[in-house]
């Protein structure tokens, strides 16, 4: 079973975030995408226009820094019309000189479907575990 659509998504996501390429980022997602994100913003991001607006705000907030995304513990499942991928994303802030400044991790799961124009993400979920008593979020394994 080929993991091509899920690996293409991961590669495209990493490149779009590093380059802060909003068009390339949004091209990965379906018009009716549903995102449950661990970071700020609304409880639910519904639809590509809302995802575009939130992503543009994120990219604009970075100033001259870049974000390098890597994935580990990745598991793929690909069928004829649906595919899923999940694992751990590591987001590292990179200075204009190319130095890693800080990093954090979170869990991700992504569901894609085949469309006439290629595979598109229709659901994405990110999370990090929280301590039950304090609610403190764990951003590193």
């Amino acid at each position: 079973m080929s993991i091509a659509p899920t690996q293409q998504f991961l590669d495209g996501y990493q490149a779009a975030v590093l380059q802060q390429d909003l068009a390339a980022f949004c091209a990965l997602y379906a018009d009716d995408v549903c995102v449950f994100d661990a970071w700020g913003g609304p409880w639910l991001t519904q639809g590509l226009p809302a995802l575009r607006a939130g992503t543009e705000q994120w990219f604009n907030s970075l100033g001259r820094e870049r974000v390098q995304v890597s994935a580990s513990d990745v598991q793929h499942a690909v069928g004829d019309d649906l595919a899923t991928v999940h694992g751990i994303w590591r987001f590292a802030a990179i200075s204009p000189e190319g130095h890693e400044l800080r990093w954090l991790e979170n869990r991700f799961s992504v569901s894609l479907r085949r469309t006439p124009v290629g595979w598109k993400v229709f659901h994405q979920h990110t999370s990090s575990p929280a301590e039950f008593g304090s609610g403190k979020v764990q951003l590193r394994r």
Side-chain angles (χ1 to χ4, degrees):
M1 182 180 305
S2 170
I3 62 170
T6 51
Q7 189 60 54
Q8 287 173 349
F9 164 74
L10 292 174
D11 294 344
Y13 184 93
Q14 292 167 356
V17 170
L18 183 63
Q19 297 304 314
Q20 297 179 19
D21 185 336
L22 186 61
F25 186 91
C26 291
L28 300 169
Y29 294 88
D31 290 340
D32 63 344
V33 65
C34 172
V35 177
F36 297 122
D37 198 355
W39 302 105
W43 188 256
L44 161 69
T45 299
Q46 186 70 48
L48 191 54
L51 180 65
R52 179 185 314 277
T55 304
E56 184 173 27
Q57 184 178 29
W58 173 34
F59 287 171
N60 288 338
S61 76
L62 298 173
R64 296 182 57 223
E65 291 180 5
R66 298 284 178 203
V67 176
Q68 187 171 43
V69 181
S70 56
S72 61
D73 301 330
V74 176
Q75 298 290 314
H76 305 263
V78 180
D80 292 336
D81 296 316
L82 293 174
T84 64
V85 58
H86 67 270
I88 306 297
W89 266 331
R90 182 180 189 271
F91 293 84
I94 307 298
S95 73
E97 298 76 30
H99 304 292
E100 186 173 289
L101 302 171
R102 60 195 169 279
W103 61 273
L104 57 85
E105 295 174 303
N106 63 246
R107 305 174 293 201
F108 74 90
S109 59
V110 174
S111 300
L112 302 97
R113 66 175 170 241
R114 185 189 304 271
T115 74
V117 295
W119 290 86
K120 300 289 183 177
V121 173
F122 67 93
H123 180 71
Q124 180 173 302
H125 191 122
T126 61
S127 66
S128 296
E131 294 176 6
F132 186 73
S134 69
K136 182 179 178 185
V137 177
Q138 180 182 341
L139 299 175
R140 296 185 181 187
R141 287 182 276 177

